[in-house]
Structures are given as C-alpha cells and as structure tokens.
Amino acid sequence: MSDCCASKGSDLERLAQQADQRRVLVVVLLLNALMFVAEFTAGLIAGSAALMADSVDMLGDASVYGLSLYAIGKSARWKAGAAVGKGLFVLLLGFSVLVQIGIKIENGVPPSSTLMLVFGALALAVNLYCLRLMWRFRTLDVNMSSTVECSRNDALANVGVLVAAGAVALTGSFWPDIAVACVIAALFLRSALRMLTEAWPQLRHVHG
C-alpha cells in the first residue's frame, strides 16, 4: 500500500512539473513571437543587420519553445528527437543571418543607433525574464537543457546589439553592426552544433 501511494505521489509530482513547464514555455513562446515582429520591423526601419539577426533569433526561439512544448511528457527518444530538430533549425537560422550580413555589406548604409538601442534593450529585458522563468528546468532533460541554451545565447546577442548601437553612434560606421551580426551568427552555429552533439547520440541509443 505504501509503495502504491509513493508511486502515485511520484506520478503527481511529475505531472505537476510538466504542467509548470508548459505554462513557462507558453509564456516565453508568446513573448519571443511578439518580440520577433517588433524587432524585425525595427531592424528594417533602422537598417540594422544586427537587429534583424537578433529578431530572427527570437523567431528561432519561438519555434524552439514550440518543439519543447511538443516534447513534454514524451519518451526520452522523442525528447532527443526534438532537441535534434531544434539544433537543425538553429543551424538554418545561422546561415540565414549570414545572408542578411552579405546584403547589409552590399548596401553599406549606417543603421539608426537610436532604434538599435531601444529595441536591443527591450529584447534583452524580455530574454532575461524568459531565462529567469526557465532556469529551474535547465537540468531536467536534454530537451529543456537545449531550450535554456537558446535563451542564454539570446541574452548575449542582445548585449552585442547594444554594444553595436553605441559603436555606430560614436563612429558613424556600419561595420560595428556587421561585426555584431557576425557574432550572433557564430552563436547560432555554435549552439546548433552543441545541441546536435548532445542530442544525436541519445536519439541513436535511446529506445521508446
């Protein structure tokens, strides 16, 4: 009888934790989707490759959180598969940022540092809030670990946008914007490789 009660208690605890994960992931998914629209629009108006790259990062995160939601409650194999999917998607986003950089270099017009500062700061605040919400789940499984990894990279990218905005304001050059966009692309690629390196062996060896 005591074993049965203990088992039920464990199941209830697991279900409660899954419900908490869902609530958190829904919140961060919506925040990132809204920020993608706002930041991408601002990037177009400002003519900033870094701001547009950062907005694509937000879109990537919204998709990542959606995959993470789908994987909650699934088997270890499903979770590893979701992590692989996230890695491939982030890899694709990294290459899309490189395309944006090429277009910006061809244009060669300095971006609006004011818009970069405003929307870079807003994006940083949103990402730090998302990271705070998800931090307690970071060691739960490979699915949540890869999700937190994305949010942490986003905060670093946001800081880079703010640094670029300051440098553009001081120099009047578009190169600081390009440099930070390159760093964001590198973060995408590094994060994607790390996710794939961790998740692919699990996908191959985990059953069920």
Side-chain angles (χ1 to χ4, degrees):
M1 182 68 178
S2 61
D3 288 343
C4 179
C5 291
S7 176
K8 287 181 179 178
S10 177
D11 289 342
L12 288 172
E13 184 178 349
R14 176 177 54 82
L15 289 172
Q17 190 172 48
Q18 289 175 4
D20 285 344
Q21 287 180 67
R22 284 191 181 93
R23 280 193 293 270
V24 166
L25 287 171
V26 167
V27 169
V28 296
L29 188 157
L30 291 174
L31 286 173
N32 276 269
L34 289 171
M35 275 306 305
F36 161 69
V37 175
E39 200 174 12
F40 188 80
T41 303
L44 283 175
I45 296 171
S48 169
L51 207 54
M52 291 178 70
D54 203 34
S55 74
V56 173
D57 198 3
M58 291 288 192
L59 174 63
D61 278 354
S63 302
V64 163
Y65 299 143
L67 279 170
S68 297
L69 272 169
Y70 180 73
I72 290 176
K74 298 289 194 302
S75 67
R77 184 174 178 80
W78 272 103
K79 290 179 179 180
V84 169
K86 284 182 280 188
L88 292 173
F89 187 71
V90 172
L91 189 65
L92 177 63
L93 291 177
F95 286 117
S96 74
V97 170
L98 292 177
V99 172
Q100 290 181 28
I101 292 169
I103 294 172
K104 179 62 181 176
I105 290 176
E106 205 171 310
N107 293 336
V109 179
S112 167
S113 58
T114 301
L115 283 175
M116 289 177 69
L117 281 169
V118 170
F119 282 89
L122 181 59
L124 178 60
V126 169
N127 274 318
L128 288 176
Y129 178 67
C130 291
L131 188 59
R132 178 174 172 267
L133 288 177
M134 293 188 298
W135 190 251
R136 61 195 169 107
F137 300 118
R138 68 190 184 282
T139 59
L140 191 60
D141 53 45
V142 67
N143 177 50
M144 292 305 296
S145 174
S146 62
T147 302
V148 172
E149 170 83 7
C150 286
S151 193
R152 184 169 51 194
N153 284 346
D154 286 349
L156 292 174
N158 300 148
V159 172
V161 171
L162 295 176
V163 171
V168 167
L170 287 173
T171 65
S173 169
F174 71 93
W175 282 111
D177 183 58
I178 296 298
V180 170
C182 288
V183 171
I184 292 174
L187 282 172
F188 268 125
L189 298 176
R190 175 183 171 276
S191 182
L193 291 175
R194 179 173 174 177
M195 288 184 205
L196 292 171
T197 300
E198 291 180 356
W200 182 250
Q202 294 190 37
L203 183 62
R204 291 185 59 191
H205 296 107
V206 173
H207 301 284

